[in-house]
Amino acid sequence: MLSIDFDLTEQYARFPKVKVEDVQKIVAWVHDQPHMPNLSEAEVLLFYFACKCSTEVTKQVIDKNLTCHTHIEELFSNLNVQSQEIQRIINVAAIVPLSTLTPQGYRVFLVKLLDFDPSNYDFAERVKLDLLFLDIFIRKDGLQKGYLVVFDQAGSTLRHLSRINVTVLKKAFYYFQEALPIQLKGVHFINVVPFLDKILALCTPFMKKELFDILHFHNKLEDLFQYVPLNLLPKDYGGSEAGVKQLYERSCGMIISKHQEIIEHEKLYRIDEKLRPGKPKNAADLFGIQGNFKKLDID
């Protein structure tokens, strides 16, 4: 499966309130589950920290995460990063982590269109690539106090909006809010489009109040600086960071370099429903229910 590129001992040293014995007990629990793959201690630690060190919530989110990877085929299957579909979408939009943490200790992701032609925009493939990147990146980055996402809407049009598959959108929100092992602290929009109301109308039916409450829309770039200081931003925005293109080349290189790992991860990082205690689940079981597992961590 995907390799862990951070030092486990160092992570425990950075966050001494994390109880090693609790993490190891969850690892043992995972290994006792006949339907789950054997996750490593480092992988379990990512979930445990994201779930604010709650053992029971961690167990539930791990199961939810693996179940999503098994049954949401639009987002977690056909992960061959050398395929024409993924190679094509790589050039359409970028997700880049900024090198420097905010003063609060948060990692920042910048998301923006590179190709403004809506006919080249495949929403499902774009979300698939973004989630794959996050799966890889958090295993490299280790524990972080929180994450901020900055969406630059420059180049977005109503034609882009029309290409969003609502079913895929619903599944993406479900996974992001229920099963992704990060602590999300804020979602910020810059270069806000005039049809923002239409975007919100499409998204809010799938959005929990906790997520809605941390959305921020900035009419001026300067308004973002109280959350993400200017010097942290890429030079495209007047900051001190490398340019978006250079940063994105690093991200793409990280993904491409793990091609074989990704292929194996897709096969192994799954639930065996035949062995699940109780009733097996399918894709329909994931939706139409109120998730009560991972709660977004809001300050």
Side-chain angles (χ1 to χ4, degrees), residues 74-130:
E74 299 96 328
L75 302 180
F76 299 110
S77 64
N78 299 318
L79 298 180
N80 183 351
V81 295
Q82 296 180 353
S83 68
Q84 289 185 348
E85 292 79 9
I86 291 183
Q87 286 295 313
R88 186 182 305 118
I89 203 65
I90 278 177
N91 299 314
V92 172
I95 176 172
V96 296
L98 303 188
S99 301
T100 305
L101 303 179
T102 68
Q104 294 78 22
Y106 302 157
R107 176 70 68 198
V108 181
F109 293 113
L110 173 68
V111 182
K112 72 183 305 291
L113 284 175
L114 301 174
D115 180 345
F116 293 173
D117 185 349
S119 63
N120 294 327
Y121 186 74
D122 185 318
F123 176 72
E125 289 296 314
R126 185 61 237 176
V127 176
K128 177 194 292 186
L129 185 61
D130 287 348

Side-chain angles (χ1 to χ4, degrees), residues 177 184-188 200 204 207-217 227 296-299:
Q177 295 175 108
L184 186 64
K185 299 292 186 177
V187 181
H188 299 264
L200 292 177
T204 49
M207 198 182 301
K208 289 185 173 184
K209 182 180 184 300
E210 297 99 323
L211 178 56
F212 187 83
D213 287 346
I214 59 170
L215 301 182
H216 303 272
F217 304 95
Y227 305 97
L296 292 169
D297 184 53
I298 311 303
D299 285 339

Side-chain angles (χ1 to χ4, degrees), residues 12 37 40 52 77 83 105 115 123 133 166 183 193 216 221 255:
Y12 283 129
S40 68
K52 302 177 72 173
S77 64
S83 68
D115 180 345
F123 176 72
F133 165 78
V166 177
Q183 293 185 30
V193 294
H216 303 272
L221 181 63
I255 294 173

Side-chain angles (χ1 to χ4, degrees), residues 1 4 27 31 38-45:
M1 291 192 285
I4 296 292
V27 174
H31 290 190
N38 287 341
L39 303 185
S40 68
E41 183 176 343
E43 285 181 299
V44 170
L45 175 62

